[in-house]
Amino acid sequence: MNNTLDMSRLMRLIRKQWIENFSFYGMAALAILGIMATMFIIWILASNNNFHEEPIYIIYFVCLFLSGCILASTAFSIFGDKAKGGFWLALPASHLEKLITVIVFNTIVFFVVFSGCFLLLKPLVLAYINNKVTTHPNEVHFDRIIWSNGRGDGFREVFYAFLYGFFALQALYLMGSAFFSKHAFIKTTIISAAILFLLFVYVYNMTTWLIPKNVNTGPMMEPTEQQEDILTWVMKLIWVPLFWVITWFRLKEKEL
């Protein structure tokens, strides 16, 4: 059963997870709402009547990355306790079904709830700022993001890039939780930073060695626009499923 996927069993497992942790999810949503509201209040007080819309999204992504990655790093912390870990492994469901359940709650449900809190608070923040602009037009300035012009297009690209980055990074910390039952967040951060640094040094040295200075590579070595687009999409989308697959293989290694 470790390698099978039964939708009926999966739905029962998801339902079981929801019922057993409903109160926790409710309190977590309230905590997210409170922390985000506090961040917005601090930003409003520190803006000194000179508001820019970009920091609203910066607050969103900072809170999203921190809370999402911390949550993902605790996904399999249950293996730090042999009794609880053994009970989890003994559940009548495959490792794939258990992983999907974790992804549903730690990634999908979390992202929906977090974004819902943001979408609930953002209109209130904008309403407050617009009211200040209306009542004190000569004292209060609000620089909005205009999504339809050139500046807006650039911000839109950055916004989507951060979204891709969040799901990839959260999948990485989820994988780290499967490898490290204790202090997974710290260990995953340190190891990932070290690997990224070594990879950068390796790529830089290989590029320098293969393409000496003052050598014109010519148009034959330059990728076409279509090739660049394909490579960009591959680089954006490959990491999440890759980390999930590695996590699945890691879970398959765990036995009673």
Side-chain angles (χ1 to χ4, degrees):
M1 186 173 65
N2 288 344
N3 300 321
T4 60
L5 175 61
D6 182 273
M7 294 305 299
S8 176
R9 193 168 54 225
L10 174 63
M11 296 308 298
R12 289 197 298 269
L13 185 61
I14 291 175
R15 183 174 179 272
K16 177 180 181 297
Q17 180 77 5
W18 173 258
I19 293 174
E20 292 180 351
N21 297 277
F22 177 78
S23 58
F24 169 76
Y25 296 141
M27 289 187 293
L30 291 176
I32 291 172
L33 198 64
I35 293 172
M36 198 179 299
T38 303
M39 296 284 289
F40 280 132
I41 292 172
I42 294 173
W43 168 66
I44 289 173
L45 294 176
S47 295
N48 196 25
N49 291 333
N50 185 22
F51 300 100
H52 300 270
E53 194 174 356
E54 287 90 343
I56 294 178
Y57 293 96
I58 292 175
I59 291 173
Y60 169 76
F61 278 115
V62 169
C63 294
L64 179 68
F65 273 76
L66 284 177
S67 55
C69 292
I70 291 174
L71 178 65
S73 67
T74 64
F76 300 107
S77 59
I78 194 172
F79 290 120
D81 186 309
K82 290 185 177 180
K84 293 181 179 180
F87 174 78
W88 189 88
L89 290 172
L91 286 174
S94 68
H95 292 317
L96 178 58
E97 291 160 356
K98 294 172 184 177
L99 175 60
I100 292 174
T101 302
V102 169
I103 292 172
V104 166
F105 286 98
N106 284 47
T107 300
I108 300 175
V109 173
F110 166 78
F111 179 75
V112 171
V113 171
F114 187 94
S115 298
C117 292
F118 174 77
L119 294 175
L120 180 65
L121 291 174
K122 180 188 171 186
L124 299 177
V125 172
L126 293 179
Y128 174 80
I129 295 174
N130 289 330
N131 181 65
K132 293 197 69 173
V133 172
T134 302
T135 55
H136 303 88
N138 297 325
E139 301 175 9
V140 181
H141 174 71
F142 183 32
D143 186 14
R144 296 176 178 272
I145 296 173
I146 303 175
W147 295 81
S148 59
N149 66 5
R151 175 188 170 198
D153 290 339
F155 184 83
R156 184 185 293 109
E157 292 176 358
V158 172
F159 180 85
Y160 289 135
F162 272 97
L163 277 184
Y164 293 132
F166 163 71
F167 287 110
L169 194 62
Q170 204 209 31
L172 172 65
Y173 278 91
L174 185 68
M175 181 184 71
S177 179
F179 279 88
F180 310 112
S181 57
K182 295 182 180 180
H183 311 297
F185 182 83
I186 297 174
K187 292 178 181 178
T188 304
T189 301
I190 293 174
I191 293 176
S192 300
I195 293 176
L196 189 63
F197 174 76
L198 294 175
L199 182 63
F200 172 80
V201 172
Y202 173 77
V203 172
Y204 176 79
N205 289 335
M206 285 296 295
T207 303
T208 305
W209 178 69
L210 292 174
I211 307 177
K213 295 181 178 179
N214 302 323
V215 174
N216 185 10
T217 58
M220 293 298 294
M221 296 187 64
E222 296 179 359
T224 64
E225 183 176 350
Q226 184 179 10
Q227 290 173 334
E228 289 182 349
D229 291 340
I230 293 174
L231 181 61
T232 300
W233 277 103
V234 169
M235 293 302 294
K236 284 180 179 179
L237 301 178
I238 193 175
W239 300 109
V240 174
L242 175 63
F243 292 144
W244 284 349
V245 169
I246 295 175
T247 304
W248 176 55
F249 277 104
R250 175 59 178 172
L251 291 178
K252 287 172 62 178
E253 297 175 358
K254 295 183 179 293
E255 299 292 344
L256 289 172

